[in-house]
Amino acid sequence: MKDNIKAFTQKHKEIWKFIKFTFTGASTSVLEMAVFAFLQYIVFKSLNETPVTDSAILNFLGISYKGYLYSYAISAIIGYAAAYIMNRKLTFKADADPVLSTIIYTVMVICTIIFNTWFGAFLASAIKTRGIDNFFIEMLTKLVVMTVPTLWTYPLNRFVIHRRKKQPCAVAFDLHGTLIDTNGKISQKNILSLKKMIKKGVKVIISTGRTVYEIPKVLFDKETVSYIIYSNGASVTDCYGNKIFSNSMSKEKAAEVYSFLSQYDTFIELYSDERPKCEKRQLNYDALTYFDITHSYKDVIMKSRLGCENMIDAIKNSENIEMFNVYFANQNERLIALLKLEKDTALSVTTSAENNLEIFRWGVGKGTALDTLCNKLNIEKENRYAVGDSKNDLSMFEYVNKKIAVGNACDELKAKSDKVICTNNECVADYVLKSIL
């Protein structure tokens, strides 16, 4: 039931706003009537027989006694003020100038009261003239008088009084397999499209399972990228490389994970202190071919990995352990390891290839990192987009409004996506810029 309501509110946002506006109007009307009754029959009871000073306005409104005047004025102010606050904060979540909004709202309320008074009197007179006045007709008339102003009060509240300024927007792009093509390159057209997004005010976020060391230097530019999520969300930096936050694995847990993985025929990478490390004896093309690592990524590994004689010592000497990326030579061993690792409540496990596992601290992920970052930037879920290709991008989909899979994405990601676009060998950023934003 809860999921169905959530789905409805996401799919029919304008209808949901109108429902909330109507509920606010009804609830504040009840509040106004309760306050009016309390004031007239208790607080100002002694003034109910005291006539007001003769006034054309009060005569028009049909107010003859001070008790009614004070009760009506105070209850109306409370009711309309409550509606104003609730609609601003809850219904429309407005951020328009509060002073200007209040002035426009006050003018609208005064005009609405004048109209309701005139229209109510007009209908009552017409009904009496035709001799059809009875309790049912009277209630129907009041309902009509209350409903007609919605024709202008809702549009004014929605688009003028409680309008929202242009909201910040964020697009999170996976890197390898999304922005980076099968040759391991990021095209100039992609770079130019990212720059155009930045100029439009879009927060461009790179979200990768790789280390910050592997990210192309061209992306560390405030005119191209706003923030970088790396090591599957274990760390986040700004475009200058300044760390925003991190969520590392303890040395003890990392040593335990490494010992477990070493039981299998594996190529183990340790992502720590922003530098990927592996066993020195395996840092060669023959070993990488044995573990069926793609040709373009072999070059990346050979250029970026730091070969270590002893990985346990490397773990002990690390300050910030982000994650493990491990390749299996045998798929059965990979499946067995996955099932065992998933039972460990201190760990999260995902994958970005058919022969690897990515292991990090529980609660860490591209999705949680993206959500934390966007919350810091006050970017709401409805203004977030995520673009990816593999299973480790699934967690991002939980925290965004628009889920986008590239044409070369895995089947699981495509099934969860709102839209499947071009492949990573085409200009993904340009497609998103022109067709989705």
Side-chain angles (χ1 to χ4, degrees):
M1 180 67 176
K2 185 178 179 180
D3 290 339
N4 290 337
I5 294 174
K6 186 176 180 181
F8 175 85
T9 59
Q10 287 293 321
K11 186 176 181 180
H12 306 286
K13 293 179 181 179
E14 286 302 322
I15 295 176
W16 181 236
K17 283 186 176 72
F18 183 76
I19 291 172
K20 289 193 289 183
F21 178 81
T22 303
F23 174 79
T24 297
S27 59
T28 53
S29 293
V30 171
L31 171 65
E32 184 179 340
M33 287 188 290
V35 171
F36 176 81
F38 174 74
L39 292 174
Q40 186 175 25
Y41 297 109
I42 297 177
V43 178
F44 300 120
K45 183 178 180 180
S46 62
L47 299 176
N48 284 339
E49 300 298 328
T50 305
V52 297
T53 304
D54 189 44
S55 165
I57 296 176
L58 295 181
N59 289 336
F60 174 76
L61 294 174
I63 298 175
S64 303
Y65 300 99
K66 288 184 177 180
Y68 185 92
L69 172 63
Y70 298 155
S71 301
Y72 175 79
I74 294 172
S75 63
I77 290 171
I78 292 174
Y80 281 111
Y84 175 84
I85 294 169
M86 288 176 66
N87 280 323
R88 182 177 177 85
K89 298 293 184 182
L90 303 176
T91 305
F92 303 111
K93 298 180 180 178
D95 57 3
D97 181 357
V99 175
L100 181 59
S101 294
T102 302
I103 292 171
I104 298 172
Y105 182 76
T106 301
V107 173
M108 182 199 73
V109 167
I110 292 172
C111 292
T112 301
I113 290 174
I114 293 172
F115 172 82
N116 282 353
T117 303
W118 169 81
F119 189 51
F122 171 78
L123 287 182
S125 176
I127 289 169
K128 284 184 178 180
T129 300
R130 288 165 176 76
I132 55 172
D133 56 320
N134 55 54
F135 178 78
F136 175 77
I137 294 298
E138 184 179 345
M139 291 298 103
L140 182 61
T141 301
K142 288 182 178 180
L143 179 63
V144 171
V145 171
M146 291 172 61
T147 303
V148 168
T150 306
L151 294 173
W152 63 82
T153 58
Y154 180 76
L156 281 172
N157 275 278
R158 169 69 178 89
F159 300 108
V160 180
I161 298 168
H162 298 300
R163 69 190 183 282
R164 299 186 70 186
K165 299 174 184 175
K166 187 175 181 180
Q167 297 299 301
C169 167
V171 183
F173 289 97
D174 171 57
L175 201 53
H176 295 84
T178 302
L179 286 180
I180 292 180
D181 61 26
T182 52
N183 294 317
K185 305 293 184 182
I186 181 168
S187 70
Q188 187 60 29
K189 193 173 182 181
N190 262 332
I191 296 296
L192 290 174
S193 296
L194 295 178
K195 289 180 182 291
K196 289 177 182 178
M197 289 184 198
I198 293 288
K199 286 182 178 179
K200 288 181 64 174
V202 176
K203 298 296 183 184
V204 174
I205 302 169
I206 298 300
S207 183
T208 178
R210 308 303 177 186
T211 64
V212 70
Y213 192 83
E214 299 172 74
I215 297 170
K217 300 302 180 186
V218 69
L219 296 178
F220 287 92
D221 173 20
K222 67 178 182 179
E223 295 182 356
T224 309
V225 169
S226 307
Y227 297 93
I228 297 173
I229 298 170
Y230 61 93
S231 295
N232 273 324
S235 294
V236 180
T237 72
D238 61 20
C239 58
Y240 302 105
N242 301 313
K243 190 168 289 186
I244 307 298
F245 59 86
S246 61
N247 198 342
S248 58
M249 186 184 298
S250 69
K251 294 181 182 182
E252 295 76 16
K253 192 63 183 178
E256 178 188 325
V257 171
Y258 179 78
S259 297
F260 169 76
L261 294 172
S262 297
Q263 300 176 67
Y264 304 103
D265 191 4
T266 52
F267 177 83
I268 303 171
E269 296 183 301
L270 170 69
Y271 292 4
S272 67
D273 301 329
E274 302 181 355
R275 182 72 189 270
K277 305 171 180 69
C278 66
E279 290 188 35
K280 190 174 182 178
R281 65 179 180 84
Q282 291 184 312
L283 195 53
N284 58 76
Y285 280 100
D286 288 340
L288 300 183
T289 301
Y290 173 74
F291 286 101
D292 198 27
I293 295 171
T294 60
H295 177 73
S296 62
Y297 201 57
K298 288 178 189 176
D299 293 334
V300 174
I301 290 175
M302 292 300 297
K303 291 176 182 178
S304 62
R305 270 46 177 177
L306 177 64
C308 301
E309 296 290 352
N310 189 306
M311 289 291 283
I312 293 296
D313 287 343
I315 290 171
K316 290 178 180 178
N317 294 327
S318 295
E319 294 296 326
N320 181 36
I321 298 172
E322 296 156 5
M323 59 171 277
F324 287 94
N325 180 40
V326 52
Y327 291 93
F328 288 77
N330 184 287
Q331 280 294 335
N332 288 333
E333 288 190 348
R334 177 176 176 271
L335 179 58
I336 292 169
L338 173 61
L339 293 174
K340 290 183 178 179
L341 288 167
E342 286 181 332
K343 293 179 181 179
D344 192 326
T345 56
L347 299 174
S348 290
V349 187
T350 188
T351 178
S352 59
E354 293 183 355
N355 60 337
N356 88 320
L357 292 178
E358 296 168 1
I359 305 148
F360 34 90
R361 183 176 175 177
W362 172 255
V364 174
K366 288 186 178 185
T368 52
L370 178 61
D371 187 49
T372 301
L373 177 60
C374 285
N375 287 337
K376 286 179 178 288
L377 299 173
N378 294 318
I379 300 175
E380 297 182 1
K381 184 177 179 180
E382 65 183 35
N383 295 316
R384 303 176 193 173
Y385 303 75
V387 191
D389 75 304
S390 60
K391 289 182 181 179
N392 67 354
D393 297 314
L394 282 169
S395 65
M396 288 199 295
F397 280 12
E398 297 178 30
Y399 299 96
V400 300
N401 180 40
K402 194 71 173 180
K403 312 168 189 68
I404 306 160
V406 291
N408 53 288
C410 65
D411 291 338
E412 291 90 335
L413 198 75
K414 287 180 178 179
K416 294 285 185 178
S417 69
D418 298 314
K419 188 175 183 65
V420 178
I421 61 172
C422 60
T423 71
N424 65 321
N425 288 325
E426 300 166 83
C427 189
V428 170
D430 187 61
Y431 188 100
V432 171
L433 174 64
K434 294 179 179 178
S435 303
I436 296 175
L437 291 181

